[in-house]
Amino acid sequence: MYPVLFRLGPLTIYSYGTMMAVAFLTAAYLTGRELERRGYSAELASRLVVWAAAGGLVGARAWSVANDIENFLERPFHTLFSGSGFVWYGGLAGGLAAVSWAIRRYRLPWRQTVDSIAPALSLAHGIGRLGCELAGDGDWGKPSTLPWAHSYPRAIIGWENWTAAAGYPPDVRVHPTPLYEAVAYTVIFAILWGLRKRDLPEGSLFWLYLVLAPAARFAIEYLRLNPPVLWGLTQAQLFSALLIAVGIAQLAAARPKRDPVPKAQQRSRHR
């Protein structure tokens, strides 16, 4: 693990922050290309990404604090400004709310704009997960003997505390679930990017993202350490299931309805 990339005097460059910056820049570039292709100003992409980043970080941190209010009350400054504890679905909710507000402010069509953002959002999510892997922010999975399983001795979250509490040796190897997510979201990006020029109903790319990304998280969650809260499912899986249902319902509603066959043609078929 490489939570710290390098130091320049008093300046410390962290891997998580670096990968987040790369994710935002990538998202701005790809979103700008899509907006321009659709006839809008590419310069708006950077503004939308700033709003998405701000809303996403606030939403992710707020959800994390809500889930661990006792720790927040004990160490509020550390909880708010540590390099861990960002919850992905809190970030999605906060980012979507902020972007929707920005879309309205800049008078853009909502469905076309979120379709422009969806592929970039998936790839940025994958890049962000690489930051989680480099930093070791507590997202590792269950113990594993697979060849690519490894330990996180230099994680920014207490690896030794976790292994001791769970009864594992410090060198126990676990599923690198951030890498699994990074691969999954990159594949989803490739799918959405390949579909972006198809003649699809407006909003379809975003609704498809809302199905595929949570489905990936739902599956990978079985390898993570989060405890079940209801029906044997974790909180992330329950929220993922909700998003999948919303995405499927919206995709079904967005499907173009076929024109009914004229009665004259119907009669001719029975002659």
Side-chain angles (χ1 to χ4, degrees), residues 205-227:
L205 288 183
F206 178 74
W207 302 128
L208 185 57
Y209 166 81
L210 218 58
V211 172
L212 296 178
R217 177 58 187 268
F218 188 98
I220 294 171
E221 190 72 5
Y222 283 112
L223 301 177
R224 292 183 51 158
L225 300 169
N226 297 324

Side-chain angles (χ1 to χ4, degrees), residues 39-136:
Y40 301 100
S41 173
E43 295 179 359
L44 291 172
S46 59
R47 302 178 188 178
L48 293 175
V49 168
V50 168
W51 282 107
L57 292 174
V58 170
R61 180 61 77 194
W63 201 299
S64 176
V65 168
N67 283 336
D68 194 8
I69 192 66
E70 293 182 0
N71 187 51
F72 170 71
L73 293 176
E74 291 178 2
R75 300 188 300 171
F77 184 84
H78 177 270
T79 302
L80 287 176
F81 298 102
S82 67
S84 62
F86 293 99
V87 181
W88 79 274
Y89 36 89
L92 178 62
L96 181 59
V99 166
S100 295
W101 181 86
I103 288 173
R104 183 175 181 180
R105 177 184 180 184
Y106 299 125
R107 299 180 180 180
L108 295 170
W110 191 86
R111 289 184 176 85
Q112 289 188 32
T113 306
V114 294
D115 273 351
S116 301
I117 295 172
L121 175 61
S122 185
L123 184 58
H125 195 175
I127 295 172
R129 282 308 186 193
L130 291 178
C132 295
E133 172 67 15
L134 290 171

